[in-house]
């Protein structure tokens, strides 16, 4: 009895599967077929991305080894997270079913070759890998996109402002962050780390709160972009508000902080350009109390205490 029952159950299961396939909604089948990225290319071959906007602004991103750089900005490094998000959106994200494919829709959603909000040209080993147009936004963190090789328009998870057509907008914001210095010199103070202990040249421990504030400011400062061309020339001839020499395992980095016409700037000896800083980051570093770091206030208090005891 058991063998016939098993056979009937298997037959019933096969019939159910066949019925499901016959009556499966066409839209769902299309959605399954459309689970593929916007561009079919080997992302490992990608070594150049050109981004243009509707105002004729353009930026070029180049890959050098494992890093991406900005040739228009002295080959400064590109923000790692921004380039990763862009490549993921084009090469790995499933786009789903198209929202439209007509000529009027391409114009309305601004994804034509002559009317777009962003045009992304991808090149690998000197060959064109593909061109994508980004247009209007149908909702939060979504944008209409079209592969130049087809008519279909998709809604993908991305934002136009995450693909700016300005080199400075791609700059690595943490470029000047210094996480583990071993020595810091500034006007009126010098502190050095031996193991986990910070001391002045005379062996006195600096004010811990002031030192921690400086270390945190150096480890977290973020540049806001590069100074304008006119400001670059003026800053090159201006005296800095504050100069720091910071020693790490990689060597000595000289940081100069400037205030010019209401703007805040920083220059590193490791790079050829002046960078913009927020007022917050500028004030955190230039507002450090050198006397507390040099421990001169502590010395004065201790000397007064010694004198009172001797009396």
């Amino acid at each position: 009895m058991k063998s016939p029952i098993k056979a009937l159950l298997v037959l019933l299961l096969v019939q159910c599967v066949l019925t499901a396939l016959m009556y499966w909604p066409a839209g769902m089948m299309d959605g399954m077929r459309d689970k593929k990225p916007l561009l079919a290319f080997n992302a490992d071959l990608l070594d150049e991305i050109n981004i243009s906007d509707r105002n004729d602004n353009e930026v070029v991103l180049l890959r050098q080894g494992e890093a991406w750089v900005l040739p228009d900005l002295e080959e400064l490094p590109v923000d790692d997270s921004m380039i990763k998000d862009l490549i993921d959106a084009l090469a790995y994200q499933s786009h789903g079913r198209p929202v439209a494919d007509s000529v009027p829709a391409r114009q309305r959603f601004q994804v034509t070759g002559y009317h777009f909000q962003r045009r992304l040209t991808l090149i690998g080993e000197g060959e064109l890998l593909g061109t994508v147009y980004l247009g209007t936004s149908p909702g939060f963190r979504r944008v209409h996109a079209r592969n130049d090789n087809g008519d279909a328009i998709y809604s993908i998870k991305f934002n136009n402002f995450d693909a700016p057509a300005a080199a400075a907008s791609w700059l690595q914001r943490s470029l000047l962050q210094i996480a583990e210095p071993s020595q810091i010199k500034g006007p009126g103070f010098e502190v050095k780390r031996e193991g986990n202990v910070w001391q002045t040249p005379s062996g006195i421990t600096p004010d811990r709160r002031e030192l921690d504030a400086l270390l945190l400011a150096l480890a977290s400062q973020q540049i806001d972009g590069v100074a304008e061309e006119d400001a670059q020339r003026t800053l090159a001839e201006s005296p800095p508000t504050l100069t720091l020499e910071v020693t790490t395992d990689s060597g000595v980095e000289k940081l100069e902080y400037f205030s010019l016409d209401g703007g805040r700037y920083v220059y590193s000896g490791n790079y050829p350009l002046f960078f913009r800083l927020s007022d917050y980051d500028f004030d955190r570093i230039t507002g450090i109390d050198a006397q507390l770091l040099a421990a001169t206030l502590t010395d004065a208090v201790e000397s007064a205490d010694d004198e009172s005891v001797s009396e």
Side-chain angles (χ1 to χ4, degrees), residues 29-252:
M29 294 296 290
D30 291 341
M32 293 174 64
R33 287 194 294 268
D34 286 332
K35 286 187 176 297
K36 54 186 179 182
L38 194 62
L39 281 177
F41 71 98
N42 185 353
D44 293 335
L45 299 178
L46 182 63
D47 54 29
E48 180 178 345
I49 303 175
N50 297 336
I51 304 175
S52 305
D53 65 17
R54 56 187 175 184
N55 297 318
D56 295 328
N57 297 310
E58 185 174 2
V59 63
V60 177
L61 313 176
L62 293 179
R63 187 169 71 177
Q64 292 184 353
E66 297 300 318
W68 286 82
V69 300
L70 296 159
D72 293 336
L73 285 182
E74 306 288 345
E75 298 189 345
L76 291 172
V78 167
D79 186 292
D80 294 332
S81 62
M82 289 182 65
I83 192 71
K84 179 182 182 301
D85 289 345
L86 176 61
I87 294 175
D88 285 349
L90 300 178
Y92 300 113
Q93 181 189 138
S94 299
H95 57 55
R97 299 180 62 191
V99 297
D101 58 10
S102 66
V103 172
R106 293 202 295 272
Q107 295 173 341
R108 183 170 70 255
F109 295 143
Q110 300 179 21
V111 289
T112 70
Y114 56 87
H115 185 41
F116 53 83
Q117 293 196 15
R118 297 290 188 276
R119 179 179 61 205
L120 313 177
T121 305
L122 284 67
I123 300 171
E125 299 182 344
E127 300 290 335
L128 178 65
L129 300 178
T131 300
V132 170
Y133 299 105
L134 303 181
T136 57
S137 173
F140 178 68
R141 288 194 57 81
R142 300 200 73 88
V143 66
H144 289 120
R146 182 177 72 88
N147 186 335
D148 189 46
N149 290 331
D151 296 330
I153 303 169
Y154 301 95
S155 172
I156 65 172
K157 295 179 181 178
F158 198 66
N159 286 310
N160 280 324
F161 59 77
D162 289 329
S169 299
W170 284 92
L171 197 57
Q172 182 71 47
R173 303 296 179 187
S174 60
L175 186 64
L176 300 185
Q177 291 181 358
I178 303 177
E180 295 183 356
S182 58
Q183 185 175 5
I184 307 172
K185 292 182 181 180
F189 77 90
E190 178 181 348
V191 290
K192 186 175 182 179
R193 176 168 54 85
E194 296 290 346
N196 293 323
V197 179
W198 285 87
Q199 291 183 333
T200 67
S202 58
I204 300 174
T205 301
D207 182 89
R208 190 67 214 186
R209 181 177 297 180
E210 202 70 8
L211 176 62
D212 286 344
L214 176 58
L215 294 175
L216 178 60
L218 289 172
S220 59
Q221 69 177 340
Q222 295 197 56
I223 57 176
D224 281 348
V226 297
E228 299 294 335
E229 186 174 349
D230 290 343
Q232 294 279 350
R233 290 192 291 266
T234 303
L235 288 166
E237 300 173 355
S238 303
T241 302
L242 174 70
T243 300
L244 296 178
E245 291 185 5
V246 185
T247 303
T248 66
D249 292 340
S250 302
V252 179

Side-chain angles (χ1 to χ4, degrees), residues 13-24:
L13 179 61
V14 171
Q15 289 177 333
C16 290
V17 171
L18 292 175
T19 301
L21 291 175
M22 289 178 61
Y23 294 98
W24 195 275

